[in-house]
Amino acid sequence: MHSGHDIDPTQPVRMLLIAPSFSQTLLTRCKWIDAKISLFTYSCLQFKEKIEGIVPVFVEQSIPSAQEAPVVHTKDNRLSYITDPAARARASSTIENIKNTWQGRTTADPTKDDISLKVDNRVVAYLCPRRKNFLIYTYNKEDHWSPYPVSNDEDLDIPMNLIRDYVDRKGK
């Protein structure tokens, strides 16, 4: 018998739950189910004037969203953004050079997009990976952040000197 309501097996599953209330456990578990779920709570009102008696009132309950897994940034995945092997090696050696210059006083902390370079817990530069090279943002002589593109070893001279000057000025 054909009712006019064909089931389409290619459509995603949809769940509809109706109850007077839902436990916090159920709400928490619903956010992990990969299906469209609609939750409705109801309560019944009884009116003395109405002959029909009881009237249900439905309220849609929202399901808390699942939290995204935190993204952990690493120095290696920041550096791997650089596709040119020579530029990637230059960026890595720049970080090591800064660490060796101020041994035991330096950290290289990956951020969402860059690598923050700190000396004595003070940010002295950001190494910003690009596909074919990288930038070093550091303080210029007027103590303003400025970008310095690095495509070869000679391009490192200015930002490295600025970093040394800044650390010397602020270290006193």
Side-chain angles (χ1 to χ4, degrees):
M1 179 173 174
H2 183 24
S3 65
H5 300 287
D6 293 334
I7 296 174
D8 184 355
T10 63
Q11 293 298 310
V13 173
R14 180 170 182 217
M15 255 196 278
L16 179 67
L17 302 175
I18 302 172
S21 64
F22 297 103
S23 70
Q24 188 59 44
T25 303
L26 180 108
L27 292 173
T28 302
R29 291 192 177 147
C30 282
K31 67 183 174 183
W32 303 111
I33 297 173
D34 188 22
K36 179 157 174 47
I37 303 173
S38 297
L39 304 176
F40 288 91
T41 58
Y42 70 89
S43 57
C44 294
L45 301 176
Q46 185 173 13
F47 296 99
K48 292 181 182 180
E49 301 88 34
K50 266 194 145 186
I51 299 172
E52 293 89 30
I54 299 175
V55 176
V57 177
F58 295 93
V59 177
E60 186 165 8
Q61 179 89 28
S62 63
I63 298 171
S65 60
Q67 290 181 338
E68 294 289 323
V71 176
V72 178
H73 303 289
T74 65
K75 183 175 74 166
D76 289 339
N77 73 8
R78 294 282 69 88
L79 290 173
S80 68
Y81 184 77
I82 304 171
T83 56
D84 180 81
R88 188 179 318 120
R90 187 175 299 109
S92 183
S93 69
T94 300
I95 293 168
E96 291 308 310
N97 184 9
I98 290 172
K99 282 182 164 183
N100 291 334
T101 302
W102 295 281
Q103 275 186 338
R105 299 170 49 198
T106 308
T107 59
D109 303 317
T111 66
K112 180 181 173 211
D113 299 312
D114 310 317
I115 298 171
S116 169
L117 300 164
K118 297 178 184 175
V119 176
D120 298 330
N121 290 325
R122 180 177 288 155
V123 177
V124 296
Y126 287 101
L127 188 140
C128 310
R130 299 295 183 257
R131 298 311 271 167
K132 303 240 182 251
N133 59 14
F134 61 96
L135 300 174
I136 292 182
Y137 275 84
T138 191
Y139 290 102
N140 62 19
K141 292 189 183 279
E142 292 81 35
D143 280 347
H144 297 289
W145 281 102
S146 298
Y148 297 90
V150 178
S151 297
N152 57 52
D153 289 338
E154 292 78 35
D155 292 342
L156 283 167
D157 293 341
I158 291 173
M160 291 302 290
N161 287 332
L162 288 170
I163 292 169
R164 278 187 204 92
D165 290 347
Y166 180 78
V167 171
D168 289 345
R169 280 195 322 269
K170 296 301 177 178
K172 293 179 180 178

